[in-house]
């Protein structure tokens, strides 16, 4: 039975269950409340800073908004406004703690309306909004995201900068009551002292100094309080693969690992996993910036895939994460879209070479054949072995070399990278190495005669999938072609019948766009991809794969709706290591540790390092 035929045999989930699996829709209450908090927060901040704004025609509207208070309580207005701005995104994502904070904050607005403004109308509206939140509390169910202590540092830096800027505005917008004409430096000094609760060098008349002082003190207290909360709140652990999870996944791979070339990459240590109720299928994932990213097809029995997918969608719904799947096959895409109602978009093609059909003969292989022969004449030799057959000393040398030859501090990879070379855990993996003895008078390198290496992970009982490519920068060009050809020629010796090579993003668009008679839209799309190839190896990777005359298997991205695609793309770039939102680390010498995977493009496909660019 073919894969498509197997895909057609799955049980269809009822519409009611499909709506549940699809996850939370942007219903009215969370979106309206979050948007209202954003607008109210901006209005409260403005009413607390600008005296003229509080006296304008908009002041009538500000009186009846939660937290809008008189100029005597400007500090509270600014603090409440900033808090509402900070809570708005969490309310839109249905976060339970954001709901609890908003419920606790609104009574403060009610007290402000009654005690300072004597505005029953504003208090009533605040109570109505509070009642709406309490009535719809079941819609705010999402659990917290995995936490990082870096968020406390980021909050201190960002909110501290915002407080400094708002503080300077507060000082500068009261020029009339200001005594003298203090310089900008003196005003900034006044802001800094005020944030810490002390008086600065600027004086005011008419009681304005109290308003300014309370406002600056409130900003400083808010910065310290939120930073302390983020730093000392209980940790919500990030999903990690446990020993029991790994054992169960290996059992599934032993029985069903030949279905998907990406299946073995589920054993990465930094992935979480959800199993089907029967335990016969699983979906591995990582959460990045609120996006729950799965990679490849579900692991295990195809008939149990719907149960694992249901658990995945329930987990996404529980935390209000955006579900997405990167690099699934056509069969997997059919199952995901059928069971959940999600959409799918072709992302690119995976290059697969059948060993029995591979040959260096023929005109189409002339360039590869000539390059391999030239490198061999330069004295290079290759070895292809299972990792379990390597001596511990040689394995250690390969591990250190692979780590040293990495050109970036950030190890790239998620969907098509394993992240280790380990004879104990991954003894069935295949290592291809290129060696060249030093010439007369030439000093041996730090790794002896080793000049390049490639690491392939198992793909069922008779296949391997390319995971890592590294080479010495001083080695001759063409090391990748040499090692791939050597692996294909030695495949029979290690019991391999098929080899999965690189993933080529948008391959079909590049191939169709260069054909005779291609239309202007297709040519324009291809031109854009060629332009982007200056930074992302899109065209060059496609042409490199095409050298080996592979068969192309399409891969897809599965998503909830079109507006989620930019967010999913950003999360994928973070997961693959192409984009980091963390604070920069202090420069230090990189330790010689085992490598953690090959660098990956945002699509989840494999990519060579720039110094490995093929001719």
């Amino acid at each position: 039975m073919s894969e498509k035929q197997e895909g057609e045999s799955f049980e269809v989930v009822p519409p009611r269950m499909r709506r549940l699996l699809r996850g939370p829709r942007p219903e009215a209450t969370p979106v309206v409340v979050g948007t209202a908090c954003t607008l109210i927060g901006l209005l409260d901040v403005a009413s607390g800073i600008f005296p003229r704004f509080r006296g304008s025609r908009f002041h009538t509207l500000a009186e009846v908004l939660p937290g809008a208070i008189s100029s005597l309580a400007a500090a509270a207005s600014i603090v409440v406004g900033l808090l509402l701005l900070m809570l708005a995104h969490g309310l839109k994502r249905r976060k339970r703690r954001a709901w609890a904070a908003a419920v606790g904050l609104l009574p403060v607005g009610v007290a402000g309306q009654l005690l300072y403004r004597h505005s029953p109308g504003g208090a009533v509206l605040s109570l109505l909004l509070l009642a709406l939140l309490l009535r719809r509390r079941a819609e705010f169910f999402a659990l917290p995201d995995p936490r990082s202590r870096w968020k406390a540092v980021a909050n201190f830096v960002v909110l501290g900068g915002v407080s400094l800027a708002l503080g300077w505005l507060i000082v500068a917008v009261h020029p009339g009551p200001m005594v003298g004409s203090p310089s900008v430096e003196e005003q900034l000094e006044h802001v800094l002292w005020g944030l810490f609760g002390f008086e600065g060098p600027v004086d005011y008349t008419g009681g304005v100094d109290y308003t300014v002082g309370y406002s600056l003190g409130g900003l400083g207290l808010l910065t310290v309080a939120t930073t302390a909360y983020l730093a000392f709140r209980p940790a919500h652990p990030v999903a990690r693969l446990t020993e029991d999870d790994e054992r169960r996944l290996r059992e599934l791979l032993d029985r069903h690992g030949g279905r998907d070339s990406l299946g073995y990459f589920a054993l990465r240590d930094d992935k979480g996993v959800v199993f089907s109720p029967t335990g016969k299928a699983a979906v591995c994932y990582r959460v990045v910036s609120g996006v729950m990213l799965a990679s490849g097809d579900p692991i295990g029995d195809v008939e149990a895939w719907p149960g694992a997918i249901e658990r995945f969608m329930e987990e996404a719904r529980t935390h209000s994460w955006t579900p997405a799947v990167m690099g699934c096959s056509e069969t997997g895409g059919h199952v995901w879209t059928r069971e959940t109602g999600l959409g799918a978009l072709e992302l690119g093609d995976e290059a697969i070479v059948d060993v029995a059909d591979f040959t260096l003969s023929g005109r189409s292989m002339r360039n590869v054949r000539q390059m391999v022969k030239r490198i061999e004449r330069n004295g290079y030799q290759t070895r292809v072995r299972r990792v379990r057959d390597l001596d511990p000393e040689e394995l250690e040398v390969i591990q250190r070399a692979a780590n040293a030859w990495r050109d970036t501090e950030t190890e790239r990879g998620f969907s098509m990278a394993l992240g280790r070379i380990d004879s104990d855990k991954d003894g069935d993996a295949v290592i291809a190495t290129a060696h060249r003895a030093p010439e007369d008078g030439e000093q041996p390198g730090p790794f002896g005669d080793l000049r390049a290496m490639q690491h392939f992970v198992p793909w069922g009982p008779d296949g391997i999938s390319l995971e890592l490519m590294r080479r010495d920068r001083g080695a001759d060009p063409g090391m990748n072609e040499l090692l791939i050809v050597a692996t294909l020629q030695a495949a029979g010796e290690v019991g391999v019948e098929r080899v999965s090579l690189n993933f080529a993003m948008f391959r079909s668009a590049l191939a169709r766009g260069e054909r005779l008679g291609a239309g202007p839209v297709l040519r324009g799309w291809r031109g854009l991809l060629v332009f982007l190839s200056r930074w992302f190896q899109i065209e060059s990777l496609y042409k490199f794969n095409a050298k080996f005359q592979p068969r192309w298997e399409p891969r897809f991205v599965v998503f909830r709706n079109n507006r989620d695609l930019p967010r999913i793309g950003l999360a994928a770039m973070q997961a693959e290591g192409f984009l980091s939102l963390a604070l920069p680390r202090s420069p230090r010498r990189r330790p010689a540790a085992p490598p953690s995977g090959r660098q990956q493009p945002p699509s989840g496909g494999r990519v060579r390092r720039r110094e490995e660019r093929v001719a």
Side-chain angles (χ1 to χ4, degrees), residues 154-175:
N155 179 83
F156 180 79
V157 174
V158 174
L159 191 55
V162 171
S163 298
L164 184 63
L166 292 180
W168 182 77
L169 281 176
I170 293 171
V171 172
V173 296
H174 295 85

Side-chain angles (χ1 to χ4, degrees), residues 11 96 118 264 286 405 475 533 609:
E11 180 182 357
R96 185 69 177 180
H118 304 290
Y264 200 85
R286 185 195 296 176
W405 292 339
S533 296
R609 300 186 350 250

Side-chain angles (χ1 to χ4, degrees), residues 159-428:
L159 191 55
V162 171
S163 298
L164 184 63
L166 292 180
W168 182 77
L169 281 176
I170 293 171
V171 172
V173 296
H174 295 85
M178 191 179 296
V179 177
S181 299
S183 63
V184 175
E185 290 78 7
E186 291 176 329
Q187 293 179 18
L188 291 176
E189 182 182 354
H190 188 84
V191 172
L192 290 174
W193 282 109
L195 292 177
F196 288 96
F198 299 100
E199 295 184 2
V202 180
D203 294 324
Y204 296 90
T205 61
V208 176
D209 52 343
Y210 290 102
T211 302
V212 173
Y214 292 152
S215 300
L216 295 177
L219 288 173
L221 181 61
L222 178 63
T223 302
V224 173
T226 54
T227 301
Y229 168 75
L230 293 174
F232 299 106
R233 62 179 174 170
H236 191 75
V238 179
R240 286 290 186 268
L241 207 63
T242 65
E243 293 183 1
D244 183 64
D245 292 337
E246 182 176 348
R247 177 188 58 79
R248 296 174 65 184
L249 285 174
R250 288 185 182 275
E251 292 176 355
L252 294 177
L253 289 172
D254 290 341
R255 294 193 294 268
H256 308 281
R259 175 174 295 279
D260 185 15
S261 63
L262 307 188
Y264 200 85
F265 299 113
L267 299 178
R268 283 181 62 101
D269 296 334
D270 57 357
K271 287 185 177 181
V273 61
V274 289
F275 289 91
S276 65
T278 62
K280 295 182 178 181
V283 174
C284 295
Y285 67 92
R286 185 195 296 176
V287 179
V288 182
S289 298
V291 177
M292 192 176 182
L293 281 174
S295 58
D297 293 342
I299 309 299
D301 187 359
V302 181
E303 298 298 331
W305 282 9
I309 291 174
E310 178 182 351
R311 289 284 179 86
F312 176 87
M313 297 301 292
E314 287 178 352
E315 189 77 5
R317 181 176 182 271
T318 300
H319 294 83
S320 192
W321 291 330
T322 300
V325 185
M326 304 297 298
C328 66
S329 68
E330 187 171 2
T331 301
H334 278 301
V335 180
W336 276 100
T337 56
R338 177 178 299 169
E339 299 298 325
T340 65
L342 301 178
L345 182 67
E346 184 174 343
L347 198 58
D349 295 86
E350 179 185 10
I352 299 176
V353 179
D354 294 312
V355 174
D357 299 332
F358 176 78
T359 177
L360 283 177
S361 304
R363 183 178 180 85
S364 61
M365 298 297 294
R366 182 180 59 181
N367 292 336
V368 177
R369 182 173 62 251
Q370 291 177 349
M371 178 173 291
V372 170
K373 295 298 183 183
R374 176 181 58 81
I375 296 175
E376 289 177 344
R377 287 195 298 268
N378 290 341
Y380 285 89
Q381 297 179 347
T382 59
R383 302 172 189 171
V384 180
R385 294 154 291 174
R386 295 282 183 180
V387 173
R388 62 171 176 266
D389 298 329
L390 293 172
D391 295 332
E393 295 78 8
E394 184 178 6
L395 178 60
E396 182 183 359
V397 171
I398 293 174
Q399 290 173 338
R400 291 192 292 109
N403 185 66
W405 292 339
R406 190 176 72 232
D407 64 336
T408 60
E409 278 290 337
T410 302
E411 185 67 71
R412 295 177 179 175
F414 164 64
S415 57
M416 292 185 178
L418 182 62
R420 62 178 181 265
I421 301 177
D422 192 327
S423 59
D424 295 330
K425 290 186 175 182
D426 314 300
D428 289 337

